[in-house]
Amino acid sequence: MKRTVALCLLDKANGHQQLIEKDAKTAAKRAGLDLETYFADGHVTAQVKQIYGCIHGEAAARTCAIVIMPARDNGLNRVALDAVRAGLAWICLHRQMDCLSDLRREFPEIPISTVTPDQLEIGRIQGRQFRALLPSGGRVLYVQGNAQSSPARVRLQGMREAIAGSNIEAADVIDGNWIPADAEHMVSGWLRMVMSGKSQLDLVGCQNDLMATGARKALETVGAYLNRPDLATIRLTGCDGLPEFGQKLVNEGKLAATVIVPSSGTPALELVAAAIDLRRLPPASVILSSASYPSETVLAGGSRKTN
């Protein structure tokens, strides 16, 4: 009986995806499953080759399930169909794939599901953090991951919902592509264009902690270039909240806040194990809860003390 799960992720250097892999390995071992991890460096074509290797290639003889974070939301619809048609379970992580509801109807006996943090609530948490940090209002530059990805779009939606009715202006949204170098480049360009005079900026909110580190470098570099030392003191928030990274940056005062995003590795592997060993089909989706770090109560209390 096939008992190997293919875990298809995007970025080997990304701390949150490293956590997903670590948790998936632990859950797989506990369930008596084997785990093979593939990283695609963010490229859809690489993921297509990896998955077809699990369907038709050497790995096909042992692969029972694909657990995947797609490089593009709907870029793998045909591949998902081929995988499910070959009898492989398909568990999508963190992204929206419009084809999955149709696949569940067409292949009711195949485990097909989505495991994702509540992306809308993550955005709402960020918006509430902005309100706590800026109780009198202010201007926020918002650095999203990639406008083409569903997590970035939905988090932006949630953030805007949460600041509605406040005096916070977050009209400026730029793409940081989830990585620090791109965030630094984009924030630098925005600062040079917008902040060369006496324009005010009160906060930079980023959709992950990595981009926040790039944004911090941009604030320091451009602040020195424009002779505006105030830019280097602007507070930043992030997201992912790994204990050894995002939470550490908050504890060191380098971030004002982050959002702790849970790993999807364990619940995804548990769905596969239940389907194989208990013949229990998974729900259409599993939604994971996130939390502010520090807590929203603590954040609001700290803001009241400093304003």
Side-chain angles (χ1 to χ4, degrees):
M1 183 179 180
K2 296 180 180 181
R3 296 190 66 84
T4 296
V5 178
L7 177 63
C8 302
L9 299 174
L10 300 174
D11 183 0
K12 194 170 187 176
N14 182 282
H16 189 73
Q17 292 180 48
Q18 291 171 4
L19 176 62
I20 291 173
E21 181 187 22
K22 179 183 176 182
D23 288 352
K25 284 181 177 178
T26 300
K29 184 176 181 180
R30 187 166 58 242
L33 298 171
D34 296 318
L35 189 77
E36 294 183 355
T37 306
Y38 303 85
F39 287 97
D41 295 325
H43 300 302
V44 174
T45 52
Q47 280 195 324
V48 170
K49 291 179 181 178
Q50 291 165 354
I51 296 166
Y52 277 125
C54 295
I55 300 173
H56 303 299
E58 182 181 337
R62 57 184 182 272
T63 305
C64 64
I66 305 291
V67 176
I68 183 165
M69 182 181 290
R72 192 166 62 232
D73 287 13
N74 291 305
L76 297 172
N77 290 354
R78 178 53 193 247
V79 185
L81 171 61
D82 290 343
V84 171
R85 186 176 283 156
L88 277 64
W90 185 277
I91 311 296
C92 179
L93 305 181
H94 294 236
R95 301 287 193 269
Q96 295 175 356
M97 290 186 66
D98 296 339
C99 70
L100 296 191
S101 57
D102 291 336
L103 290 179
R104 278 189 292 271
R105 284 192 294 269
E106 187 175 353
F107 301 92
E109 75 287 0
I110 301 295
I112 301 169
S113 185
T114 298
V115 180
T116 180
D118 188 335
Q119 304 289 1
L120 187 65
E121 183 59 18
I122 288 172
R124 289 170 177 159
I125 291 171
Q126 287 199 297
R128 294 195 296 268
Q129 289 175 340
F130 298 168
R131 295 182 76 131
L133 292 166
L134 301 172
S136 300
R139 186 180 191 181
V140 175
L141 172 64
Y142 194 63
V143 186
Q144 66 178 355
N146 183 315
Q148 302 304 313
S149 70
S150 53
R153 296 194 307 269
V154 176
R155 290 181 189 186
L156 175 61
Q157 175 188 343
M159 181 276 292
R160 284 176 167 162
E161 286 181 9
I163 66 169
S166 73
N167 290 321
I168 294 173
E169 176 193 1
D172 295 297
V173 179
I174 58 177
D175 252 22
N177 202 31
W178 302 113
I179 58 178
D182 286 7
E184 181 180 1
H185 174 74
M186 295 300 291
V187 173
S188 293
W190 184 90
L191 291 170
R192 290 171 185 268
M193 180 175 63
V194 176
M195 303 299 292
S196 58
K198 295 183 178 180
S199 297
Q200 183 69 23
L201 178 64
D202 300 291
L203 187 70
V204 178
C206 302
Q207 287 188 339
N208 74 9
D209 298 325
L210 286 171
M211 292 191 297
T213 63
R216 168 58 70 199
K217 289 182 180 179
L219 288 166
E220 293 171 350
T221 302
V222 178
Y225 174 78
L226 296 177
N227 195 27
R228 288 200 54 178
D230 58 300
L231 295 184
T233 66
I234 291 171
R235 292 176 292 180
L236 298 101
T237 72
C239 187
D240 281 349
L242 296 175
E244 68 277 13
F245 191 66
Q247 293 181 44
K248 184 172 182 283
L249 291 175
V250 173
N251 296 339
E252 293 173 347
K254 296 175 181 177
L255 285 182
T258 188
V259 181
I260 299 175
V261 179
S263 165
S264 55
T266 295
L269 266 292
E270 288 176 345
L271 292 183
V272 174
I276 292 174
D277 296 329
L278 303 176
R279 303 297 180 186
R280 182 190 302 156
L281 289 175
S285 63
V286 175
I287 308 299
L288 309 175
S289 299
S290 299
S292 175
Y293 186 85
S295 71
E296 294 178 38
T297 301
V298 169
L299 202 59
S303 296
R304 284 194 291 271
K305 292 176 184 177
T306 58
N307 282 275

